[in-house]
Amino acid sequence: MIGADVAHAAALLRRGNVVAIPTETVYGLAGNALNEASVTQIFTVKQRPSFDPLIVHIHNLSQLNDLVAEFPEQAKKLADCFWPGPLTLILPKKEIIPDLVTSGLPFVGIRMPRHPLTRELLQKLPFPLAAPSANPFTYVSPTTAQHVEDQLGDKIPYILDGGACEVGLESTIVSFAESKPKVLRFGGISKERIEEIIGPVDEQISSSNPVAPGQMDKHYATSKKLQIVSTARELMDCHGCYTIGYGEGDFEYNLSPTSNLEEMARNVFAALRLADESDATLISVCLAPEIGLGRAINDRLRRASR
Ligand code: TXA
Ligand code: MG
């Protein structure tokens, strides 16, 4: 069921159920982060392998004391600047967080989302919420309540509807597991903005032996084959394709006629879903410029194309 009843969502979560929640990035599939039975349900509904850890969502910095063993100065600076918002910090966990949440890692991903409905929900609860994106494992993340309903509607009791997601891409993940901060996933906050606050950071976005197992290559995938082209001209020449472009040009879906990166980020997952539902057999898409949010957009498109 889809609705905007925060009290109802809170009641379900208190009883140990899972509920889909809106965030500014994408919709999440939430459960009590401190309750193993709830966390197990999240993995089951998503058909997510247990080696892929979950992000824990809080609404207040004072909650951190109970959850993490250390809050390094640089992590604090980032939190001051970007929380509530699309940033996840990987920090040493305390024992209260079940190993299931972190897939046995001694570190936990923490994020303070800024969507008003989910903030209201978190305030009503005596526990933080573990929440991965509310899509079946490896599929495109949902940016509307209807997207969640389409795929998980029959598996969960409630979808809290907070409208279309404002950012449209997942949070940026910065790890403090080592002495130098490291970006593990490009997302709603660009690496450039992070470096403005804390100086140079490493990045490890994808590797054969990832620190974040969820960096697996096959991710954000459409059911149909997706190909990447380098120019708008090539896109328009692709007959029978569902074309996704931006700027000037005639495409099935224009992510942003003014080539605005924020607008492109907001629309990209919805575009991939429409392309998947279309009659075309092939999806063809042009990469964004490799700067700022463009890197996060391109990361999702490249993974979807594999
Ligand atoms: O914007 C977001 O972050 C959304 C909303 C719902 O908050 N959530 C989200 O969760 O994208 P999910 O589960 O789809 O992606 C979380 C990523 C995974 O790739 C996982 O591997 C990584 O975060 N992650 C979580 N905990 C980690 C940890 N302790 N160490 C390393 N990576 C971690
Ligand atoms: Mg996800």
Side-chain angles (χ1 to χ4, degrees), residues 215-266:
Q215 292 172 337
M216 276 162 304
D217 274 354
K218 188 77 187 162
H219 227 112
Y220 312 106
T222 46
S223 311
K224 286 177 186 160
K225 187 172 163 49
L226 180 144
Q227 73 170 9
I228 289 173
V229 298
S230 32
T231 63
R233 185 71 262 157
E234 268 180 89
L235 261 192
M236 286 188 282
D237 287 344
C238 184
H239 299 292
C241 294
Y242 188 100
T243 55
I244 302 174
Y246 58 91
E248 276 177 37
D250 190 13
F251 318 113
E252 256 72 39
Y253 197 112
N254 193 327
L255 294 173
S256 168
T258 58
S259 303
N260 177 292
L261 287 172
E262 286 180 15
E263 190 182 11
M264 289 167 66
R266 189 151 56 233

Side-chain angles (χ1 to χ4, degrees), residues 46 48 132-135 139 141 170 185 219-220:
K46 254 195 87 109
R48 179 176 174 120
S133 51
N135 50 283
Y139 197 71
S141 301
E170 296 84 350
R185 176 173 75 183
H219 227 112
Y220 312 106

Side-chain angles (χ1 to χ4, degrees), residues 3-302:
D5 187 345
V6 178
H8 181 56
L12 286 165
L13 288 161
R14 277 173 185 272
R15 270 183 252 141
N17 288 303
V18 296
V19 168
I21 58 165
T23 85
E24 71 280 14
T25 59
V26 300
Y27 274 73
L29 180 62
N32 179 348
L34 307 182
N35 176 328
E36 287 208 21
S38 301
V39 176
T40 301
Q41 274 188 63
I42 295 175
F43 281 100
T44 308
V45 169
K46 254 195 87 109
Q47 295 184 292
R48 179 176 174 120
S50 60
F51 56 76
D52 195 3
L54 306 180
I55 294 171
V56 172
H57 297 70
I58 59 171
H59 64 91
N60 195 316
L61 272 184
S62 65
Q63 289 174 281
L64 268 185
N65 263 337
D66 294 336
L67 305 175
V68 307
E70 245 181 277
F71 193 26
E73 203 49 44
Q74 286 179 308
K76 215 163 169 214
K77 277 191 184 162
L78 291 182
D80 283 346
C81 257
F82 300 118
W83 277 357
L87 173 73
T88 295
L89 300 173
I90 307 286
L91 301 165
K93 84 175 190 81
K94 277 194 176 164
E95 220 165 289
I96 187 171
I97 295 173
D99 285 337
L100 192 58
V101 170
T102 64
S103 304
L105 295 170
F107 298 94
V108 59
I110 308 262
R111 169 164 123 76
M112 191 190 291
R114 74 162 176 246
H115 193 291
L117 226 49
T118 284
R119 287 183 61 73
E120 198 187 318
L121 174 65
L122 285 164
Q123 273 154 24
K124 287 187 189 299
L125 297 170
F127 47 79
L129 291 174
S133 51
N135 50 283
F137 185 60
T138 76
Y139 197 71
V140 178
S141 301
T143 52
T144 66
Q146 189 60 48
H147 289 165
V148 183
E149 171 71 22
D150 290 345
Q151 290 188 303
L152 302 181
D154 57 346
K155 297 193 175 72
I156 56 180
Y158 199 59
I159 300 167
L160 186 61
D161 189 353
C165 299
E166 183 193 339
V167 176
L169 290 177
E170 296 84 350
S171 60
T172 299
I173 302 181
V174 183
S175 172
F176 288 86
E178 290 157 54
S179 53
K180 190 172 176 193
K182 194 189 261 184
V183 177
L184 300 185
R185 176 173 75 183
F186 292 129
I189 290 171
S190 68
K191 186 183 174 199
E192 292 91 327
R193 286 183 69 198
I194 285 170
E195 291 189 324
E196 274 171 29
I197 310 299
I198 57 169
V201 295
D202 288 337
E203 60 182 73
Q204 183 181 7
I205 303 305
S206 196
S207 84
S208 52
N209 183 22
V211 179
Q215 292 172 337
M216 276 162 304
D217 274 354
K218 188 77 187 162
H219 227 112
Y220 312 106
T222 46
S223 311
K224 286 177 186 160
K225 187 172 163 49
L226 180 144
Q227 73 170 9
I228 289 173
V229 298
S230 32
T231 63
R233 185 71 262 157
E234 268 180 89
L235 261 192
M236 286 188 282
D237 287 344
C238 184
H239 299 292
C241 294
Y242 188 100
T243 55
I244 302 174
Y246 58 91
E248 276 177 37
D250 190 13
F251 318 113
E252 256 72 39
Y253 197 112
N254 193 327
L255 294 173
S256 168
T258 58
S259 303
N260 177 292
L261 287 172
E262 286 180 15
E263 190 182 11
M264 289 167 66
R266 189 151 56 233
N267 290 329
V268 67
F269 285 144
L272 291 177
R273 277 172 190 264
L274 283 177
D276 230 5
E277 289 159 11
S278 74
D279 292 331
T281 48
L282 182 65
I283 306 166
S284 195
V285 49
C286 197
L287 291 181
E290 285 286 340
I291 47 153
L293 281 183
R295 295 189 74 188
I297 296 168
N298 291 346
D299 169 77
R300 306 305 188 272
L301 292 176
R302 289 198 182 98

